[in-house]
Amino acid sequence: MMVAFADIVRRDVRLALRQGADSLTVVAFFIIGVVLFAFGVGPEMAVLERISAGVLWVMALLASLLSLDRLFQTDYEDGSLDLLALTPTPLGVIVAAKVTAHWLTTGLPLIATAPVLAVLLNMNTAGFGALMLAMILGTPTLSLIGAVGAALVLGARRGGVLLSLLVLPLYIPVLVFGVSAIDSAVMGMATQAQFFILGALLLGTLVLCPWATQAALRQAVE
Amino acid sequence: MHRFANPTRFLRLSAAILPWSAGLTIVLMAVGLVTGLMVSPADYQQGESVRIMYVHVPSAWMGMLAYSVMAISSAVALIWKHPLADLIAKSSAPAGAAFTFLCLVTGSLWGKPMWGAWWVWDARLTSMLILLFLYLGYMALVSAFDDPARGAKAGAILALVGFVNVPIIKFSVDWWNTLHQPASVTKLGMPSIATPMLIPLLVMALAFHAYYVTVLLLGVRAEITAAKVRAIRLTQVHE
């Protein structure tokens, strides 16, 4: 089972890297979105500093959302999803592997880019540690929740727009506590509670989301 | 429960219930509105605007109840493949979305004189707004597939995933220190609301329940009829 898990992670990461542009597009979207905010709000450093945590998290959410369609869509179209569903490996494990690969190719680049953008947005240096830790705890949750949505819209009409309507409301807790952790750190207050909640969200979704996703996949390949 | 899985039996049963629930809605709504708008006293602090409560609170309750009905019948549909449970979930969604919307609109109208703002980003308001989005997402997902059975199944999974929001709304005013007042009716022991105000509120709540039952039964009956029409059309195509 662990072998199958590792194999699928390796396959998906390799596919993403070969197509190359995929991960880079997500990062580029993340950067351009943040830059648009800077243009829209204006270059005042104080304003940018105040909104930096929120802007970074909202853009990370949207960037993560944007890349969800490749999680199952291509496998669904070329039929490999049917084959994966037929293997003796439990579908939940396959889902977990695919989500891991998705996080490695989108979540990780986002985490790596975030501090650079935080500098551009003039974020207080006290918030950097909290930003990194919150991103590390939060982005896997985004991939896990997104997987449920991506599996549900397989074969639907206007899947992309629908996906955002399904997934974004469920992203809100991560956004709220991710931003609140950074704001508390900047103001010099205790951030433990926010990190505990982000960790709890990650653990909860880690248990429930692969299960819900495999139920959604089963009815899609049926 | 499986006794009621038979659509024909359901049609017979619902035809018997419908006139009663519709009549009950009209009577209770009339009584509730008259006592609520004319008989009950104005609040010593909030004045006449407290009367918005008689619509606002029941619609908030119904918004959450309709989602719970939707989630429970989705679970039943997924576990036992109960044919009517899918239709109940599907018909519950528009009613629930309407209740949630009504709750947000009346809350906004009430918030303006009381808090001085149409909208505040308070935990309960925001989670109610999320509930509305969950309803909209559910309805969009159910209707996004060419095969209605696919849509119903995908919707059932989504309804269960979104169910986590309902306890959050219920307890948001206790967990977070918010502007919205905490629960005053469903408290253990004595409700902290004056009896002349509690009575019209409860009558209105019953009226909303009766209305919900009526709309739900009508919706399920319409879905059954639509399925029959689809089946007839298919046989005509094959001939």
Side-chain angles (χ1 to χ4, degrees), chain A residues 30-190:
Chain A
F30 188 39
I31 297 171
I32 288 175
V34 170
V35 170
L36 281 183
F37 267 98
F39 278 118
V41 177
E44 275 172 66
M45 282 310 192
V47 178
L48 286 178
E49 183 185 348
R50 175 69 197 83
I51 63 167
S52 55
V55 168
L56 281 179
W57 263 109
V58 169
M59 286 318 297
L61 248 62
L62 293 177
S64 168
L65 175 77
L66 198 70
S67 61
L68 282 177
D69 59 336
R70 71 152 194 266
L71 196 53
F72 301 115
Q73 192 65 41
T74 46
D75 283 348
Y76 177 72
E77 278 163 5
D78 67 13
S80 18
L81 198 62
D82 297 83
L83 292 179
L84 285 172
L86 287 176
T87 55
T89 318
L91 196 51
V93 173
I94 294 172
V95 167
K98 291 189 81 71
V99 171
T100 309
H102 176 261
W103 179 75
L104 285 174
T105 51
T106 60
L108 216 51
L110 289 182
I111 295 173
T113 327
V116 182
L117 291 172
V119 172
L120 290 186
L121 288 175
N122 194 30
M123 185 189 275
N124 192 316
T125 41
F128 273 66
L131 170 69
M132 295 311 283
L133 190 54
M135 283 278 214
I136 289 169
L137 288 172
T139 46
T141 316
L142 299 183
S143 294
L144 283 162
I145 297 173
V148 183
L152 281 174
V153 299
L154 286 178
R157 277 172 271 130
R158 305 177 308 276
V161 188
L162 189 56
L163 184 60
S164 57
L165 186 57
L166 301 188
V167 169
L168 285 178
L170 300 173
Y171 275 179
I172 293 174
V174 179
L175 173 68
V176 169
F177 292 106
V179 172
S180 143
I182 301 170
D183 283 346
S184 298
V186 168
M187 285 187 279
M189 292 194 291

Side-chain angles (χ1 to χ4, degrees), chain B residues 171-234:
Chain B
F171 297 111
S172 57
V173 273
D174 303 331
W175 291 344
W176 287 286
N177 207 353
T178 65
L179 203 53
H180 194 290
Q181 61 167 335
S184 39
V185 178
T186 53
K187 259 202 312 218
L188 287 176
M190 281 299 285
S192 61
I193 174 170
T195 320
M197 285 185 182
L198 186 63
I199 290 169
L201 179 61
L202 291 182
V203 172
M204 281 304 276
L206 285 178
F208 271 59
H209 279 82
Y211 173 77
Y212 173 64
V213 169
T214 311
V215 172
L216 190 65
L217 290 179
L218 279 176
V220 176
R221 288 173 69 88
E223 289 291 339
I224 293 175
T225 316
K228 277 187 189 156
V229 170
R230 244 191 328 267
I232 294 171
R233 287 238 177 92
L234 275 177

Side-chain angles (χ1 to χ4, degrees), chain A residues 184-219:
Chain A
S184 298
V186 168
M187 285 187 279
M189 292 194 291
T191 51
Q192 222 178 12
Q194 285 92 333
F195 288 127
F196 280 155
I197 292 176
L198 282 174
L201 287 172
L202 175 57
L203 292 177
T205 49
L206 197 59
V207 174
L208 293 176
C209 286
W211 180 64
T213 310
Q214 64 99 10
L217 286 180
R218 281 259 181 258
Q219 54 94 21

